[in-house]
Amino acid sequence: MSPDRPSWVEGRRALRLAACLGMALPALLGALSCTSSRGVTTLRFWAMGREGEVVVDLVRDFEREHPGIRVEVQQIPWSAAHEKLLTAFVGRSTPDVAQLGNTWIAEFAALQALEPLGPFVAGSRELKPADFFPGIWATNVVDSVPYGVPWYVDTRLIFYRKDLLLRAGVSRIPDTWAGWLEAMRALKRAAGGKRYAILLPLNEWTQPMILGLQAGSPLLSEGGTRGDFHGPEFSRAFRFYVDLFREGLAPPVANTEVANLYQEFERGYFAMYITGPWNLGEFRRRLPQHLQGQWTTAPLPGPSGAASGLSMAGGSSLVLFRASKHQQAAWSLVEFLSRPEQQARFYRLCGDLPARTEAWQDSALASDPELRAFEIQLGRVAPWPMVPEWEQIAIRLQDQTERAVRSSASPDSVLAELDREVDRMLEKRRWLLSRRRALPGEQPRSSR
């Protein structure tokens, strides 16, 4: 107590201080967690799955380059990531920077949880949109505003048995749907019995959706407020897909009904499989030595040739959260992790394919013959519609696809029902957009 003041003055000051501390304690603790007494900025970085383990090596190099910044990496399982991010947003405890699956960007942008990155990108000397695969960059843009920077990429193409194709008189995967269909028929004739040309698991929605993209379907219409699956483009693609089962070229099974995919590929139960880059390592580890060299990869055929052979633009991005108090420092981390040499190093650590095109010149990628097809395919990818409801819509397509294949339901009736379901899902979106049109001049807000 000060000897110059009466005790009641000191008591009143103590009460006021206690009240202020009670109200400010959460904010004070948050500030202390972000900045040390020595003035070192601490960033909270959330990363998912295996990436959360290996990125620590890259982060330590970032800290050496930026001695005034310390990065706390929190690894989050993919199975819990979406719920944890939403809970953090509601509780106002989001990290500074995070890895975000690019199909989640529209959802978190709609919540206004993410910081628009236009000003950061425009002022960056480290990166620009042209440095990335165009279709991949597009997955980060909502209403012409970038909300993420691609970190690593994912897509789908064909893994196939070269020896089985040659035995059927087919030297390579054709570029067109018509040629591909004839190749599959030739494979079926050569294999006979309970063997098939291609495995298209009924619990994977990506294959019919990719064919729809290839056929020119927008998938959604009227500004992403209604389904367009019954439209002529998707209908054409869906009939092509369903006919593969009805001709006996693909088995009507989910992948849970295939005891061991790699053993079945080895014994020739199927000769082609549309899958993603993680299976490069799995095929090399799980297939026997005598089959190594007898399988490879190829870009997807398209309705009218190679250029129309689109695939999905998947992967993860790096985002800044709007509530971050250290956005410039967080952006420095995003720039660092986006450098070509860091993306090539990240590939060496965990096998994730780089989003930055220059990184593909690294010897670890350029010398891998199976990766060449992925590089080509990534130049022919397109994003899914950027709406928060997309994953729900995709699951409904999966359900209706299985119905069309396993029952006698016609493709037209199935797609008409799918559009009705999607329209119901998007009813709130239509209402919100109509309200937005009534408020002219509204723009994405930035906290900068």
Side-chain angles (χ1 to χ4, degrees), residues 130-187:
D131 295 332
F132 300 83
F133 293 102
I136 297 295
W137 181 265
T139 64
N140 295 268
V141 178
V142 181
D143 295 332
S144 302
V145 177
Y147 286 94
V149 172
W151 190 20
Y152 66 84
V153 296
D154 178 25
T155 193
R156 302 290 184 273
L157 46 62
I158 299 176
F159 284 56
Y160 70 97
R161 287 276 299 270
K162 294 188 291 185
D163 56 335
L164 296 183
L165 260 69
L166 288 171
R167 196 177 305 165
V170 181
S171 60
R172 63 178 184 86
I173 300 292
D175 292 333
T176 65
W177 280 6
W180 189 28
L181 180 59
E182 288 307 312
M184 286 189 276
R185 287 169 174 164
L187 278 164

Side-chain angles (χ1 to χ4, degrees), residues 11-25:
R12 182 177 294 177
R13 289 184 71 239
L15 287 172
R16 282 202 302 265
L17 179 60
C20 290
L21 283 173
M23 291 184 293
L25 187 58

Side-chain angles (χ1 to χ4, degrees), residues 155-160 180 184 198-201 204 206-208 210-211 214 241 244 261 270-276 278-279 283 298 300-301 311-312:
T155 193
R156 302 290 184 273
L157 46 62
I158 299 176
F159 284 56
Y160 70 97
W180 189 28
M184 286 189 276
I198 190 168
L199 179 66
L200 299 167
E204 296 181 7
T206 50
Q207 290 91 334
I210 285 169
L211 293 174
Q214 292 185 347
Y241 174 85
L244 296 178
L261 184 146
F270 58 93
M272 302 181 198
Y273 182 38
I274 297 175
T275 185
W278 68 90
N279 259 324
F283 274 50
L300 289 170
S311 191
M312 56 166 279

Side-chain angles (χ1 to χ4, degrees), residues 51-351:
E51 290 79 12
E53 296 177 19
V54 302
V55 76
V56 173
D57 290 346
L58 278 63
V59 162
R60 296 300 163 249
D61 286 347
F62 170 80
E63 291 175 329
R64 281 188 280 272
E65 188 175 299
H66 297 80
I69 303 174
R70 178 173 173 267
V71 182
E72 293 180 350
V73 179
Q74 182 174 351
Q75 182 197 10
I76 301 171
W78 272 111
S79 58
H82 188 265
E83 182 178 355
K84 186 172 180 66
L85 285 163
L86 286 175
T87 301
F89 170 69
V90 172
R92 300 183 181 182
S93 59
T94 50
D96 298 287
V97 59
Q99 170 190 353
L100 205 65
N102 61 22
T103 58
W104 298 351
I105 285 180
E107 176 184 2
F108 283 88
L111 291 171
Q112 296 190 343
L114 305 181
E115 181 68 15
L117 297 183
F120 290 96
V121 174
S124 178
R125 295 182 179 180
E126 294 273 2
L127 62 86
K128 55 185 182 295
D131 295 332
F132 300 83
F133 293 102
I136 297 295
W137 181 265
T139 64
N140 295 268
V141 178
V142 181
D143 295 332
S144 302
V145 177
Y147 286 94
V149 172
W151 190 20
Y152 66 84
V153 296
D154 178 25
T155 193
R156 302 290 184 273
L157 46 62
I158 299 176
F159 284 56
Y160 70 97
R161 287 276 299 270
K162 294 188 291 185
D163 56 335
L164 296 183
L165 260 69
L166 288 171
R167 196 177 305 165
V170 181
S171 60
R172 63 178 184 86
I173 300 292
D175 292 333
T176 65
W177 280 6
W180 189 28
L181 180 59
E182 288 307 312
M184 286 189 276
R185 287 169 174 164
L187 278 164
K188 179 64 176 177
R189 286 193 299 269
K194 292 291 184 178
R195 295 172 186 262
Y196 299 89
I198 190 168
L199 179 66
L200 299 167
L202 293 176
N203 58 337
E204 296 181 7
W205 56 265
T206 50
Q207 290 91 334
M209 203 76 85
I210 285 169
L211 293 174
L213 284 177
Q214 292 185 347
S217 172
L219 306 178
L220 302 180
S221 63
E222 298 183 25
T225 63
R226 293 190 181 276
D228 198 32
F229 296 99
H230 199 220
E233 298 88 357
F234 197 89
S235 293
R236 176 193 176 197
F238 196 67
R239 284 193 298 271
F240 177 84
Y241 174 85
V242 171
D243 283 348
L244 296 178
F245 295 92
R246 295 184 176 175
E247 279 197 44
L249 303 176
V253 297
N255 58 23
T256 53
E257 298 172 78
V258 179
N260 186 305
L261 184 146
Y262 308 99
Q263 289 179 3
E264 297 299 336
F265 187 69
E266 176 192 353
R267 75 178 187 89
Y269 176 60
F270 58 93
M272 302 181 198
Y273 182 38
I274 297 175
T275 185
W278 68 90
N279 259 324
L280 287 170
E282 295 298 319
F283 274 50
R284 288 165 178 164
R285 281 190 295 270
R286 294 172 179 257
L287 294 177
Q289 189 59 41
H290 75 267
L291 209 59
Q292 301 299 333
Q294 296 300 320
W295 67 271
T296 191
T297 57
L300 289 170
S304 57
S308 62
L310 298 177
S311 191
M312 56 166 279
S316 277
S317 301
L318 298 169
V319 300
L320 306 186
F321 278 88
R322 181 167 293 191
S324 170
K325 304 299 184 185
H326 305 288
Q327 290 181 353
Q328 196 58 56
W331 177 250
S332 297
L333 176 61
V334 171
E335 289 184 315
F336 178 86
L337 295 175
S338 300
R339 291 176 184 172
E341 65 273 18
Q342 297 301 331
Q343 295 222 329
R345 185 180 172 200
F346 197 52
Y347 167 74
R348 285 187 168 92
L349 289 170
C350 63

